[in-house]
Amino acid sequence: MKKIFLALVGMVMAFSVSAAQFSDGAQYVTLDKTVANEPQVLEFFSFYCPHCYQFEQVWHVSDNIRKNLPKDVKYTKYHVEFLGPLGKQLTQAWAVAIALGVEDKVSPLMFDAVQKQQSVQNADDIRKVFIQAGVKGEDYDAALNSFVVKSLVVQQEKAAADLGLQGVPSVFVNGKYMVKNDGLDTSSMDMYVKQYSDVINFLANKK
């Protein structure tokens, strides 16, 4: 019984120490105005953004965050249209990926095509990446022109405007907090990824 009690105390102390590491203005900032009805954890990114490429494809921060979130906390990714010549078209394409449930298949291929191969020069090139990811061309076309995708595009644009988004990658929690990328421990990749996940869990449970 004593061992169980000590274990519980240790867990509480560990959480307290972890939570104490995070403070407003250091590892995160509280928004001036809470934005209601936004996803609990919301990441903004762009296929044109080199830091977003590293964030997802090299450091796998997004995957790590997803794995460590409580099961009842939803993680959502929105694309922004203010970067690159095809920013708007890629935001529409990301809405298609969400609608078809193929985000994980499309994302690495699109990042590679846009940033490494630089083979995405027009809307048809975007479509080819989806086909490469296993999506039928006719399914892509139907989704692209659907009401659901048009609504998702508006949703992404509105969220960016309402939250006052200024750059990517950016992660918001509960429409109230934004993680400070430059406020986390960068002494090692593992430490950075772990702390990113920890601060989001802390904010997700913060009242």
Side-chain angles (χ1 to χ4, degrees):
M1 186 71 183
K2 184 178 179 182
K3 289 182 179 179
I4 295 173
F5 175 75
L6 289 174
L8 289 172
V9 170
M11 288 172 63
V12 171
M13 288 180 66
F15 176 78
S16 299
V17 170
S18 176
Q21 294 175 352
F22 309 132
S23 59
D24 199 346
Q27 291 78 28
Y28 68 93
V29 292
T30 301
L31 305 183
D32 293 335
K33 182 182 177 182
T34 300
V35 180
N37 302 318
E38 291 299 338
Q40 289 164 292
V41 180
L42 176 58
E43 175 193 336
F44 288 96
F45 78 105
S46 168
F47 286 117
Y48 282 109
C49 165
H51 295 298
C52 297
Y53 176 85
Q54 290 201 326
F55 194 83
E56 179 172 321
Q57 300 299 315
V58 179
W59 299 340
H60 302 290
V61 178
S62 301
D63 288 341
N64 193 69
I65 292 171
R66 279 197 202 95
K67 290 175 184 175
N68 290 289
L69 278 176
K71 291 183 178 180
D72 60 338
V73 177
K74 185 179 179 183
Y75 187 88
T76 304
K77 290 183 65 174
Y78 284 166
H79 193 272
V80 299
E81 61 178 47
F82 54 72
L83 289 179
L86 296 174
K88 189 170 184 64
Q89 290 89 337
L90 284 168
T91 298
Q92 293 171 334
W94 187 245
V96 171
I98 295 172
L100 297 180
V102 293
E103 302 102 301
D104 290 343
K105 294 179 180 179
V106 167
S107 188
L109 295 176
M110 193 67 78
F111 265 121
D112 188 67
V114 172
Q115 294 201 35
K116 297 182 76 174
Q117 299 175 19
Q118 297 184 352
S119 58
V120 175
Q121 302 297 324
N122 53 52
D124 190 54
D125 291 334
I126 295 174
R127 184 177 184 271
K128 288 176 182 176
V129 174
F130 274 77
I131 293 173
Q132 185 184 353
V135 177
K136 293 181 180 178
E138 55 267 32
D139 291 341
Y140 177 82
D141 296 337
L144 185 64
N145 296 304
S146 69
F147 174 77
V148 171
V149 164
K150 290 177 181 177
S151 297
L152 282 168
V153 170
V154 172
Q155 199 170 301
Q156 292 177 91
E157 294 169 345
K158 185 177 186 302
D162 289 348
L163 290 165
L165 181 69
Q166 296 183 344
V168 287
S170 290
V171 179
F172 294 82
V173 181
N174 292 332
K176 186 176 182 179
Y177 309 104
M178 183 185 74
V179 180
K180 285 194 68 180
N181 294 337
D182 60 353
L184 304 181
D185 190 338
T186 56
S187 59
S188 73
M189 186 189 302
D190 289 342
M191 181 61 71
Y192 180 81
V193 172
K194 182 182 184 304
Q195 195 173 57
Y196 217 112
S197 182
D198 287 346
V199 73
I200 286 177
N201 278 315
F202 167 70
L203 294 172
N205 290 293
K206 186 175 172 63
K207 302 300 182 182

